Amino acid sequence: MRDIPVLETARLRLRVRTADDAEALFPTLSDPVAMTYWSHAPFETVAAVRARFAEPFVTWRAWAITRHGSDTAIGFVAVGDKREGKVSEIGYMIDRAHGGAGLAREAVARVIDQLFVAEGQRRVFADTDPDNVRSNALLQSLGFTLEGRLRAEWETHIGVRDTFLWGLLATEWKTR
């Protein structure tokens, strides 16, 4: 497993997500609207979030998104290492109260910089629900290409769902 370095942007500090972030992120992770397009149902208790966050990272890394001057998590970016570390899957969530200000985009872009520039990865991909307009727009704004639609890919708490596969290559990121 790779290290999870502290990353900085103009407005944000990204640090390792820990079980202690459960309380701060529970309102989002228990919100049926925020969790609509996740592959699992909203969490029912802070203890359940704490237990999930306490699980050891094996193939995934997770950064808590915080604002400068505060250590309280307002979201996270998670990265799953695939194909011997040259390809990663990325996922993210930000508290709805902090949505619309470009913070998720800023955090995801910083993690992508880490993956491509510092770690030398060749590809990052994401999968999203086709109806998740905000997430699909975020990926498109970062230069991801919609590579395909997998029909009936996920069985979720809202039923069987299709998924969009988005991809971004290091060469595309470096030319932005």
Side-chain angles (χ1 to χ4, degrees), residues 105-116:
R105 185 182 191 288
E106 188 174 323
V108 172
R110 181 60 187 94
V111 172
I112 291 171
D113 269 338
Q114 173 67 24
L115 298 174
F116 286 149

Side-chain angles (χ1 to χ4, degrees), residues 39-109:
S39 57
H40 57 79
F43 286 87
E44 294 184 12
T45 66
V46 172
V49 176
R50 181 174 281 282
R52 173 66 63 90
F53 287 1
E55 292 173 3
F57 295 111
V58 178
T59 60
W60 283 83
R61 299 179 273 172
W63 284 265
I65 302 168
T66 66
R67 286 184 172 271
H68 285 296
S70 172
D71 199 45
T72 301
I74 61 170
F76 63 87
V77 179
V79 172
D81 291 331
K82 311 288 182 183
R83 300 186 236 333
E84 299 180 17
K86 295 295 182 187
V87 175
S88 288
E89 180 177 1
I90 197 164
Y92 41 85
M93 166 132 345
I94 194 135
D95 180 272
R96 285 194 305 154
H98 293 89
L103 297 175
R105 185 182 191 288
E106 188 174 323
V108 172

Side-chain angles (χ1 to χ4, degrees), residues 93-157:
M93 166 132 345
I94 194 135
D95 180 272
R96 285 194 305 154
H98 293 89
L103 297 175
R105 185 182 191 288
E106 188 174 323
V108 172
R110 181 60 187 94
V111 172
I112 291 171
D113 269 338
Q114 173 67 24
L115 298 174
F116 286 149
V117 178
E119 298 179 14
Q121 294 194 27
R122 75 170 186 269
R123 173 179 164 77
V124 174
F125 71 94
D127 79 77
T128 62
D129 189 291
D131 292 335
N132 190 342
V133 173
R134 292 183 77 164
S135 189
N136 290 318
L138 183 148
L139 293 168
Q140 189 171 28
S141 78
L142 289 170
F144 280 76
T145 298
L146 179 59
E147 296 177 332
R149 181 182 195 131
L150 300 177
R151 296 174 300 141
E153 174 69 2
W154 293 104
E155 188 168 340
T156 76
H157 60 287

Side-chain angles (χ1 to χ4, degrees), residues 154-172:
W154 293 104
E155 188 168 340
T156 76
H157 60 287
I158 61 170
V160 175
R161 305 294 295 173
D162 291 0
T163 194
F164 277 166
L165 287 179
W166 294 89
L168 180 65
L169 303 177
T171 54
E172 295 165 335

Side-chain angles (χ1 to χ4, degrees), residues 10-68:
R11 300 181 291 173
L12 304 172
R13 181 174 179 265
L14 290 81
R15 56 153 175 83
V16 66
R17 189 189 70 195
T18 69
D20 290 337
D21 293 314
E23 287 78 10
L25 293 174
F26 178 72
T28 299
L29 295 171
S30 64
D31 178 350
V33 173
M35 295 295 288
T36 298
Y37 300 115
W38 282 81
S39 57
H40 57 79
F43 286 87
E44 294 184 12
T45 66
V46 172
V49 176
R50 181 174 281 282
R52 173 66 63 90
F53 287 1
E55 292 173 3
F57 295 111
V58 178
T59 60
W60 283 83
R61 299 179 273 172
W63 284 265
I65 302 168
T66 66
R67 286 184 172 271
H68 285 296

